[in-house]
Amino acid sequence: MFTALVCGAVVFPGLFYSFRRVLKHTFTQWTDADVLCVSERLVSAIHGSLATAAGVTVVTSCRDTMNDTHWLVNGFIMFGAPYMAYDIYAMYLSHFHTQRVRGDSRSYSSHSLQTVKAFLVKDRMLVFHHLVLLLIFMPIALFFRRGLGDFFIGCMFTTEFSTPFVSIGKILIQLGLDDTRLHRINGIIVILSFFVCRILIFPFMYWMYGRQFGIPLHRVAFHLPLQCNVGNLVILAPQIYWFILLLRKANRLYLRQKRGKGEGNKDRPRTD
């Protein structure tokens, strides 16, 4: 497991550094904020893809939801743990340089406790999510499960399925392709994949547990230890919050495009 931890500590920061260098030389007109944002998103997409692949492998391999085990579970937890720590740092760098570009150069002339605090306030939910996974979920999954429930950990890995599409959306915006059919299709995929893999995955896990032990879905929660239900709620709550934000953003984009089409039709000369 230590080898997996070291690999993760090398791979994710290494990819981030490599993408920064390549993008800076390829897109010379981009600012540091642009380069950092896209680099962070590319690494996020890679991590999400790897997590999804690991999750699907585990879920399809475990017939018994409680007792079957798979070596990928502990291996990928250790491999992915450094990503959470790295990503907080990468998000901070992106925030710092974005604020500098937006004209707040006096406050962001150098790194300080004030800039760190501003980042933690702005992205508090994401930072909280990462810290919970790193400091609570990881120790529980590694040391307190007694080898039980690899199936459910695999399900948790698959929640990252939507992440590559979220990253693709951000990258398309950066490339100026936010008003294209590709961006709209990707947005639909983001909403559907997020809803299925980050929200519906929880009733799916309860249903699979109930099916194995002959318990109706609506009674499963009462047969599980309190800490399991509380843990699931802690993970589910931010997913619902982010899904609502996604729907609001999609609605804003739809209304903006609808207004744009309406104005375009008004400006079009009549032919009758």
Side-chain angles (χ1 to χ4, degrees), residues 32-255:
D32 287 339
D34 297 331
V35 170
L36 285 165
C37 178
V38 175
S39 299
E40 178 205 343
R41 290 297 173 178
L42 288 171
V43 178
S44 180
I46 291 172
H47 171 266
S49 300
L50 293 175
T52 301
V56 170
T57 302
V58 172
V59 169
T60 54
S61 299
C62 295
R63 302 295 181 184
D64 187 315
T65 59
M66 289 301 298
N67 296 306
D68 283 356
T69 61
H70 197 289
W71 66 270
L72 258 178
V73 169
N74 288 346
F76 192 82
I77 288 174
M78 294 298 290
F79 176 72
Y83 169 79
M84 297 300 166
Y86 138 80
D87 197 44
I88 293 176
Y89 174 68
M91 288 191 298
Y92 166 71
L93 284 182
S94 180
H95 164 82
F96 178 85
H97 286 279
T98 298
Q99 295 304 314
R100 291 185 69 175
V101 170
R102 289 178 177 174
D104 198 1
S105 56
R106 180 177 299 179
S107 301
Y108 286 84
S109 58
S110 61
H111 300 284
S112 65
L113 288 177
Q114 181 181 352
T115 61
V116 173
K117 182 180 178 181
F119 159 70
L120 293 176
V121 170
K122 177 180 178 293
D123 291 319
R124 56 187 177 276
M125 285 299 294
L126 273 173
V127 173
F128 173 75
H129 170 263
H130 281 34
L131 289 177
V132 166
L133 291 179
L134 186 62
L135 302 178
I136 299 177
F137 175 78
M138 187 186 80
I140 291 175
L142 288 176
F143 305 115
F144 298 101
R145 291 188 303 116
R146 294 171 299 176
L148 299 174
D150 279 17
F151 172 85
F152 300 109
I153 303 300
C155 288
M156 290 297 180
F157 288 165
T158 64
T159 61
E160 291 295 324
F161 178 70
S162 62
T163 301
F165 300 106
V166 174
S167 298
I168 290 171
K170 296 289 186 180
I171 294 171
L172 289 175
I173 292 173
Q174 181 61 44
L175 294 173
L177 300 174
D178 51 322
D179 196 24
T180 62
R181 179 176 296 179
L182 177 60
H183 184 259
R184 290 191 288 271
I185 293 173
N186 184 76
I188 294 173
I189 296 174
V190 167
I191 292 174
L192 293 177
S193 61
F194 198 100
F195 180 68
V196 171
C197 295
R198 290 189 177 240
I199 296 178
L200 287 187
I201 191 70
F202 288 91
F204 169 75
M205 290 190 293
Y206 279 58
W207 175 73
M208 287 294 292
Y209 180 88
R211 190 182 73 163
Q212 178 173 333
F213 294 100
I215 306 170
L217 176 60
H218 66 281
R219 299 292 303 173
V220 171
F222 300 101
H223 288 76
L224 294 175
L226 177 63
Q227 58 268 27
C228 292
N229 292 315
V230 172
N232 284 330
L233 284 175
V234 169
I235 299 174
L236 177 61
Q239 314 306 325
I240 295 176
Y241 170 76
W242 287 322
F243 184 67
I244 292 173
L245 293 183
L246 280 175
L247 292 178
R248 288 177 177 174
K249 181 178 180 180
N251 185 57
R252 287 197 304 269
L253 290 174
Y254 171 75
L255 292 177

